[in-house]
Amino acid sequence: MSGTATERVLQYIRQQKLVAGDRLPAEIDISRILGLSRNSLREAYADLMAKGLLKNKHGVGTFIANPPILNALTGSAGFWNLIEKAGMKASFREIRRDQVAAPKEIAVIFGQAEERPTHRLRWLFLANGQPCILVDHYLARSVPPSAFNESTEHDALAAIAPYTVIDGASLSTRTSAINATADVAELLEVSEGDALLWSTALVHSGDGSVPLASRSWMVPHLLASHQVMALAPIQFQGSSALSPEDEPK
């Protein structure tokens, strides 16, 4: 295995398909498997425990935690990657695609009247088979719904790549808490009124336009945050084009 000690541990967890509650091998065994010194392994464990991905039971061993799913666009451009990086098996369903009136702030960003129908795609992401993230993607007039197809699957950036000036593109997110409405609660399998993490994300094209605006509802809850990250050209090429070395750090 290659990469940092932390990356090797995560790679091992994925390869072995370990999930929350599973115990990792004894330190001496996993050090040998991963080609790491005991000190390097302990540093990796400390890093992953700080991130909530591992937990230690004194005298028993180190276990896969049931980690919080962090803001989907922090450190990884994509909900699928985010779930996998949390050590869980990702899956995805498209609930519907339709035309609706975009939320007021998104209509303003798109430069269109509030009542004008806007193409929307509603996606549901699951972690270990449990619904965890509901996403509404709103498309600018320049992006046809047909761009989201079998070749791009769950990768929204790959879908909008032909309609985006990739050089200088960025992704901004704003996150806060919200209570689940009845329709959102049903899809995420939570109770109506439960607190969820609620985000608005904008893809800014290099020419200043916004081809895609998204809203998401996530389980479990997190503190509010606002982040901006640069998008590299390779992130618009689909997940199959990314290798561990290519992914943004």
Side-chain angles (χ1 to χ4, degrees), residues 15-245:
Q15 289 177 344
Q16 299 301 312
K17 303 186 185 304
L18 301 180
V19 297
D22 289 344
R23 184 170 65 180
L24 288 166
E27 283 188 8
I28 189 170
D29 294 326
I30 198 167
S31 294
R32 175 180 50 79
I33 293 169
L34 301 182
L36 297 171
S37 68
R38 297 284 289 278
N39 285 340
S40 294
L41 179 66
R42 286 168 181 165
E43 289 176 2
Y45 276 10
D47 180 29
L48 293 171
M49 287 177 190
K51 294 175 179 176
L53 303 182
L54 297 181
K55 60 183 177 182
N56 179 263
K57 296 182 180 180
H58 185 68
V60 180
T62 302
F63 293 78
I64 308 299
N66 192 3
I69 295 180
L70 302 178
N71 187 339
L73 301 172
T74 300
S76 175
F79 294 111
W80 185 280
N81 288 341
L82 182 77
I83 295 169
E84 288 191 332
K85 285 178 182 294
M88 292 180 279
K89 182 179 179 181
S91 55
F92 155 86
R93 293 203 301 262
E94 181 174 303
I95 303 298
R96 70 174 65 94
R97 54 178 67 194
D98 52 14
Q99 291 192 66
V100 298
K104 180 178 179 179
E105 68 273 19
I106 291 177
V108 170
I109 290 168
F110 283 164
Q112 62 189 41
E114 285 183 52
E115 64 276 7
R116 184 184 185 278
T118 301
H119 287 290
R120 179 187 68 168
L121 284 74
R122 172 161 280 191
W123 291 359
L124 182 67
F125 287 84
L126 301 92
N128 292 343
Q130 294 298 311
C132 60
I133 306 171
L134 177 67
V135 186
D136 279 347
H137 287 308
Y138 295 92
L139 312 185
R141 282 172 285 184
S142 60
V143 181
S146 59
F148 294 77
N149 51 46
E150 290 183 1
S151 65
T152 56
E153 293 186 331
H154 51 77
D155 196 329
L157 293 181
I160 66 171
Y163 313 94
T164 305
V165 177
I166 296 172
D167 186 22
S170 67
L171 186 68
S172 66
T173 66
R174 191 174 299 276
T175 307
S176 60
I178 196 170
N179 296 112
T181 57
D183 60 329
V184 170
E186 181 179 3
L187 289 169
L188 288 175
E189 297 182 5
V190 298
S191 298
E192 184 177 356
D194 280 1
L196 300 174
L197 185 68
W198 182 65
S199 294
T200 298
L202 305 175
V203 175
H204 301 268
S205 177
D207 63 2
S209 64
V210 176
L212 179 72
S214 304
R215 278 185 165 183
S216 61
W217 297 260
M218 303 179 230
V219 180
H221 344 293
L222 289 179
L223 297 178
S225 65
H226 179 220
Q227 283 123 11
V228 177
M229 64 176 287
L231 292 175
I234 195 167
Q235 289 173 303
F236 290 86
Q237 297 175 16
S239 56
S240 61
L242 287 173
S243 67
E245 293 75 23

